[in-house]
Amino acid sequence: MIRFVFLTSLLFFLSGCSFQSPPNEWQYKSSNAFESYTKSFLQDNKLLAKNDLVRAQEHARMSADLTMLARVYLGKCALNHAVGVKDSCQEYLELRSIVEDKSLRSYYELLQNEMTKESIAHLPKRYQNFAHALRSKEYNKAFEALLSMEPISSQLIAASLLSEHLTLEQKEKILTLSSFYGYKKASLFWLEQIKATTQDTKMIEQIEKKITILKKGI
């Protein structure tokens, strides 16, 4: 009986201390939902992507600190860039005046190719070498820098910012990367980029066939 009471008290104590949800659980849930959105979006799974984005935004709106919501908006804009969708990041811009976050401001400047040396220092470290090379117009160096980035979504975002300056071989390398992860939406973008670059009529014909097949069911 004493042993039972002891175990019951211990379990009660543990449930009260060790297994409580963190007070900022909304932040974790928003981050996890946006991570799911990233994969669904790049895979071109429209229904899942829409639901994931709604969840990410709803959780982010549970706090008066709108930094997380601004991060979601800017991340959405960056992913649009990754697949060639024009996006001025207007949702983020509407929050910028009330969200004091230098890293988000710097990331926005990266997406707009309006970086300064000072702003690059506030970027996530994985982007800094790439940003310095892009700003200096050292495009091959920028390409090598993006290949070492993690996660893959960061590579695709960076590659899209560099797309006008990539060689055919480099574009094919990004296509191979997006295809490996099953990111159909990104693969379609890079197929179009390769098609616009090559003069090989046979390659263009093959690319058009691939695009037609991938777009079935969209």
Side-chain angles (χ1 to χ4, degrees):
M1 181 67 181
I2 295 174
R3 179 182 175 83
F4 174 78
V5 172
F6 172 76
L7 288 174
T8 303
S9 300
L10 179 61
L11 286 172
F12 179 79
F13 173 78
L14 289 175
S15 65
C17 297
S18 301
F19 305 133
Q20 277 187 337
S21 298
N24 63 333
E25 186 179 12
W26 61 271
Q27 199 168 17
Y28 291 105
K29 287 183 175 179
S30 180
S31 180
N32 288 336
F34 189 80
E35 185 177 347
S36 295
Y37 168 72
T38 296
K39 293 179 181 178
S40 299
F41 176 83
L42 292 173
Q43 290 169 350
D44 205 28
N45 193 325
K46 295 180 177 63
L47 183 58
L48 280 179
K50 182 179 179 180
N51 291 336
D52 291 335
L53 183 59
V54 168
R55 286 192 300 112
Q57 292 173 344
E58 285 180 347
H59 288 303
R61 289 194 185 98
M62 295 181 76
S63 171
D65 180 353
L66 297 179
T67 303
M68 189 67 202
L69 184 60
R71 187 172 289 119
V72 169
Y73 285 156
L74 194 56
K76 175 189 171 188
C77 179
L79 288 172
N80 280 336
H81 278 260
V83 297
V85 176
K86 291 184 179 180
D87 193 330
S88 62
C89 305
Q90 187 59 38
E91 290 173 311
Y92 162 73
L93 290 176
E94 289 174 0
L95 295 183
R96 188 168 64 169
S97 64
I98 55 176
V99 173
E100 292 296 328
D101 191 302
K102 291 182 179 179
S103 65
L104 291 181
R105 286 174 178 264
S106 297
Y107 192 62
Y108 169 76
E109 290 176 9
L110 173 66
L111 295 177
Q112 303 302 316
N113 198 12
E114 298 173 351
M115 300 158 290
T116 64
K117 288 183 179 180
E118 292 75 19
S119 66
I120 290 174
H122 297 293
L123 283 171
K125 287 190 178 296
R126 64 181 178 275
Y127 281 106
Q128 290 183 10
N129 289 337
F130 168 80
H132 280 298
L134 181 60
R135 184 174 182 274
S136 301
K137 298 182 179 180
E138 298 177 271
Y139 300 125
N140 285 331
K141 188 175 179 181
F143 180 74
E144 292 301 318
L146 75 84
L147 291 178
S148 64
M149 288 182 186
E150 289 185 0
I152 173 64
S153 56
S154 294
Q155 293 186 38
L156 294 174
I157 292 165
S160 70
L161 301 178
L162 196 59
S163 60
E164 294 181 2
H165 308 288
L166 295 179
T167 65
L168 179 61
E169 183 180 355
Q170 289 169 333
K171 290 178 180 181
E172 288 176 331
K173 196 164 187 175
I174 299 299
L175 174 61
T176 299
L177 192 65
S178 63
S179 295
F180 178 78
Y181 282 86
Y183 288 161
K184 183 173 78 170
K185 199 174 186 75
S187 294
L188 283 167
F189 170 68
W190 286 102
L191 282 168
E192 293 285 3
Q193 291 294 303
I194 293 169
K195 178 184 171 184
T197 304
T198 185
Q199 301 296 320
D200 187 328
T201 54
K202 186 177 180 180
M203 179 181 283
I204 291 173
E205 184 180 342
Q206 290 177 339
I207 289 172
E208 288 175 345
K209 287 181 179 179
K210 288 182 179 181
I211 291 173
T212 299
I213 292 170
L214 288 176
K215 283 188 173 181
K216 281 185 177 180
I218 292 180

